Amino acid sequence: MSAPDKPPARSGPAAAVGWVLTVGLNVVAPILTYNILTEDHGWSEFAALLAGSAWPVLDSAIMVAWRRRIDEFAVVTLVFLVITALVSLIGAHTARALLVKDSGITGLFGLLCLATLLAPRPLMFYFGRKFATDGTPASTAWWNGMWQYEGFRSTMRTMTLVWGVAYVAEALLRVALAYALPTRTMVALSPVMIYGVLGVLGVWTAWFGKRRAAEGARRQTEAEAEAAAATA
C-alpha cells in the first residue's frame, strides 16, 4: 500500500489508560460479573450476561466524555454480549446445546465481518484503530486519514474477509464436532479452538499488515526514484 505520513508519536499515559479501560471494561469486568452472579448469587445466565453488558456501555460513555466520539469497539462488544444473552434463552440447555450456542456466537461475529465488507468501512478498520493507536485525537486523525490510500483500504478489507471466513468456518466445524465427539471431549476442545483461531488470526494480521506496509514503502521509493530521474 502507498506509504502515508508517519503516525504521530504515541502518548504513553493515554495508551495505557485506553488499554486498561478497554480490557477492564470490555473483557475482565463482564467475565467477573457473569461468574460472580451465576456462581455466588444464583442468577440465570441470561440475567448475568445482560448485567455484564453494562460495562461496555460505561466504556462507551467514558470514551464519549473523554475523546468526544463513540468507541466502535465497545459498541461491538456490547452488541455481542446482548446477542449472547439472547442466544442463552434459545432451545435446550444441555451441555451439547450450550456448545452449539457458543459456536453460533463466533459464527455471528464472522458473518458480521463479512457483512461490513458492504459498508463504507469494514470492521477491521475500527478494530485496527482501537489497537494501533493510543486513542488521542492526533493518532485517531492519522488512522482515519489512512483511508485515502487504496492500499490501506485493500488491506483492511482483506483482513476483514479473512477474519470473517475463518470464524464462520470455525463455528461450522465446532458445531459438527459437537455432535461427532463425546461432550466431555468437546468441552475441553472448544476453548482450544476458540483461542487457537484467535491466536493464528492475530499473528497473521500482524504479519500481513507489516508485509503490505513494506510493499507500499517500496513502491513509493521506486516512484520517487522514477520522478527524480525524469526531472534530472
Side-chain angles (χ1 to χ4, degrees):
M1 62 186 172
S2 305
D5 296 336
K6 294 182 179 180
R10 294 174 68 90
S11 168
V17 171
W19 273 98
V20 169
L21 286 174
T22 296
V23 176
L25 296 179
N26 290 280
V27 180
V28 177
I31 291 175
L32 289 177
T33 299
Y34 174 82
N35 290 335
I36 291 172
L37 293 179
T38 55
E39 296 176 8
D40 298 339
H41 298 282
W43 285 40
S44 67
E45 291 182 345
F46 174 79
L49 285 167
L50 204 57
S53 68
W55 295 109
V57 173
L58 177 60
D59 183 36
S60 295
I62 292 173
M63 291 302 171
V64 169
W66 181 19
R67 296 169 182 166
R68 297 186 179 181
R69 67 175 178 83
I70 296 176
D71 186 87
E72 293 84 359
F73 181 84
V75 172
V76 171
T77 302
L78 171 63
V79 169
F80 270 88
L81 282 171
V82 173
I83 290 175
T84 303
L86 294 175
V87 169
S88 70
L89 294 177
I90 300 174
H93 289 76
T94 64
R96 176 170 284 116
L98 291 175
L99 288 170
V100 171
K101 290 175 184 179
D102 286 343
S103 303
I105 297 300
T106 55
L108 285 173
F109 176 76
L111 291 175
L112 176 62
C113 287
L114 297 177
T116 61
L117 292 172
L118 302 176
R121 298 184 184 186
L123 188 60
M124 285 302 121
F125 171 84
Y126 300 105
F127 275 45
R129 188 173 67 187
K130 181 69 176 181
F131 294 106
T133 73
D134 56 16
T136 56
S139 63
T140 299
W142 164 75
W143 184 264
N144 292 341
M146 293 274 282
W147 191 252
Q148 67 184 293
Y149 299 99
E150 188 280 331
F152 179 79
R153 297 194 298 270
S154 173
T155 298
M156 292 297 104
R157 291 190 176 111
T158 300
M159 288 180 176
T160 303
L161 175 63
V162 170
W163 277 70
V165 170
Y167 267 111
V168 169
E170 182 267 351
L172 292 174
L173 178 59
R174 276 203 294 140
V175 169
L177 291 177
Y179 288 99
L181 298 176
T183 300
R184 180 177 298 179
T185 301
M186 198 57 202
V187 167
L189 180 60
S190 184
V192 173
M193 292 180 64
I194 293 173
Y195 292 109
V197 170
L198 178 61
V200 169
L201 286 173
V203 171
W204 174 82
T205 299
W207 169 81
F208 184 69
K210 291 179 179 178
R211 176 188 172 188
R212 293 300 297 269
E215 290 175 353
R218 176 180 53 79
R219 286 196 297 269
Q220 183 178 30
T221 299
E222 292 174 351
E224 291 174 350
E226 292 176 359
T231 57

